[in-house]
Amino acid sequence: MLNKLHFKLTALRARRCHAVSPYSAALADLPPGLFRAWQQSAGEAFDGIPCDALFFARAVEGLMMFFDCVKRSGKPCALPSKAADSVWHAWAHFLPASLDEFCLRHFGRRMPHVAAADMTSQMEDALANCLVQARMLEWMPTAGRGLPRLFTLDRRLAMPCGFAYRIVKGQVAFSNMNRAGRPEGDVFYPHTLAPVELLMAGLITYRAFDNYVQRASTGGSASASLH
């Protein structure tokens, strides 16, 4: 009885998650077999991942955020969430035709699933592209100290062996997560995500960078350009 009630509540929360999402129209158009395909594959590809409807709802919304970043960037982007990647992986493997059709319909282009190992040399630059676009999607300063939801998704979901992005002393920091979904091990500071590197790469404007420097020097909240 309790299991049935939990299942119903989880399903209701998942539907609400999609209903209030900025990507509600796209999420309503997901192929009917995707959730089942994800349930079948996620546990094997990502050990310990929860396979309930609410986790899926949040993970697939994260994937929509990423597709939007790719669309807006026009450059290679790296996905900073293993939770979102678990959905992409299942979709590309089990329903590749529907993935292409869906992405063309809602994002104007195909989104081929490229393994991280195949884009090693581009990974940090692609991650920087994604960070800037994800911040712009949420109207955050592009050279700010905050992290958009796509970059915090794995931590919020306690994704087993996921990616833990956070801000440490004003810098974007990264570490891996353990099977319990908690950050552990060495902390890295990807240099391409630093404001000065974003500026040098042409991903943010001088105005955005100047505003960042002003906020950092005064400790205030001066406005920043999003472009």
Side-chain angles (χ1 to χ4, degrees):
M1 182 67 179
L2 289 177
N3 285 340
K4 288 184 177 179
L5 180 60
H6 175 74
F7 177 82
K8 289 182 178 179
L9 289 175
T10 300
L12 284 172
R13 292 179 66 191
R15 286 197 290 271
R16 174 165 177 77
C17 175
H18 282 188
V20 300
S21 171
Y23 302 99
S24 57
L27 292 168
D29 192 35
L30 293 175
L34 179 57
F35 178 50
R36 181 65 61 86
W38 173 79
Q39 283 185 311
Q40 292 174 349
S41 70
E44 296 179 6
F46 302 88
D47 188 32
I49 187 174
C51 291
D52 59 78
L54 183 58
F55 189 99
F56 173 80
R58 291 171 173 166
V60 75
E61 183 191 35
L63 186 60
M64 298 300 105
M65 295 177 193
F66 176 70
F67 287 166
D68 205 358
C69 289
V70 176
K71 171 188 173 182
R72 291 167 180 262
S73 174
K75 301 177 181 179
C77 290
L79 178 56
S81 166
K82 283 194 177 181
D85 191 49
S86 72
V87 179
W88 197 8
H89 182 275
W91 202 343
H93 183 73
F94 289 100
L95 303 162
S98 75
L99 175 59
D100 286 344
E101 293 169 0
F102 178 92
C103 290
L104 283 169
R105 187 160 56 249
H106 293 284
F107 299 99
R109 56 169 293 176
R110 293 181 174 84
M111 304 286 178
H113 185 270
V114 181
D118 294 331
M119 61 180 302
T120 302
S121 62
Q122 298 179 319
M123 182 61 74
E124 290 195 352
D125 290 338
L127 194 62
N129 295 337
C130 188
L131 175 63
V132 171
Q133 294 302 320
R135 281 174 168 165
M136 291 177 70
L137 283 173
E138 297 186 27
W139 297 93
M140 300 172 68
T142 51
R145 298 186 178 190
L147 283 178
R149 290 189 302 144
L150 179 58
F151 277 73
T152 62
L153 182 60
D154 281 5
R155 289 194 71 192
R156 288 185 286 113
L157 293 181
M159 172 68 188
C161 302
F163 298 137
Y165 287 93
R166 56 199 184 278
I167 300 295
V168 178
K169 296 181 179 180
Q171 299 182 63
V172 178
F174 162 83
S175 60
N176 289 302
M177 299 169 71
N178 60 25
R179 292 190 177 184
R182 298 188 182 92
E184 71 171 13
D186 295 335
V187 179
F188 303 95
Y189 298 85
H191 76 280
T192 58
L193 305 188
V196 67
E197 295 294 336
L198 297 178
L199 176 65
M200 296 300 293
L203 296 176
I204 64 173
T205 64
Y206 280 98
R207 181 183 176 189
F209 181 75
D210 287 344
N211 281 340
Y212 163 77
V213 172
Q214 181 182 351
R215 291 195 311 277
S217 63
T218 64
S221 57
S223 61
S225 171
L226 297 176
H227 304 288

